[in-house]
Amino acid sequence: MLSILVAVDGSKSSDRVVDQVIKDLALLKEPAEVHVLNVQLPLVGVNVKLFISKEELADYYQEHGVAALQSARDQLAAAGVAHLHHIGVGDPGPVIVQYAEDKRCSRIYMGSRGLGSVKGMILGSVATKVIHLVTMPVVLVK
């Protein structure tokens, strides 16, 4: 069975990625397992762990991850595409790669730019990291 990882960050670019996944799945003659992943950047700082419990931090990542996944999940549900959703925490590029490997995905779909702050790059830094770290195909959607 084809297994696809769809990396989303809650941006308009992510919505276009999910649209492309839905179109591509409609063309397939075989079932596919779809994993939708959002990666939360870890809160850093010397004092973060002194003032915020592990449970509160986990709740924070969960709340923000669910919000970032919502549009993608709505789009997939409206198209009748069954999917699993995941929230990771860490450096997005390596986390995306690790999830794809752990889930034995045959390809990764992601936007070429999302919510990053650098506007002038041809490819976003996360997309660049993923491309350099994986051996599976990566579908970049502008």
Side-chain angles (χ1 to χ4, degrees), residues 9-122:
D9 62 7
S11 67
K12 293 294 182 192
S13 178
S14 290
D15 290 344
R16 289 190 298 274
V17 171
V18 175
D19 284 340
Q20 187 63 52
V21 169
I22 291 167
K23 289 175 188 173
D24 289 356
L25 289 174
L27 298 174
L28 290 176
K29 302 291 188 223
E30 62 181 287
E33 183 175 73
V34 178
H35 297 272
V36 184
L37 171 67
N38 172 259
V39 181
Q40 292 291 304
L41 293 172
L43 295 177
V44 293
V46 184
N47 297 326
V48 170
K49 293 185 180 179
L50 293 175
F51 298 106
I52 301 174
S53 71
K54 286 183 182 179
E55 293 80 19
E56 289 172 316
L57 204 50
D59 289 345
Y60 172 86
Y61 293 136
Q62 181 71 21
E63 180 182 327
H64 285 81
V66 165
L69 287 165
Q70 193 60 57
S71 180
R73 295 185 68 204
D74 290 347
Q75 286 175 271
L76 290 166
V81 176
H83 59 280
L84 302 165
H85 68 278
H86 312 276
I87 299 168
V89 178
D91 183 4
V95 172
I96 291 167
V97 171
Q98 190 62 54
Y99 265 82
E101 291 172 353
D102 290 349
K103 303 300 180 192
R104 297 182 181 187
C105 294
S106 51
R107 72 181 65 141
I108 298 171
Y109 280 77
M110 61 188 301
S112 59
R113 281 200 292 181
L115 294 175
S117 61
V118 179
K119 301 290 185 187
M121 297 177 70
I122 294 172

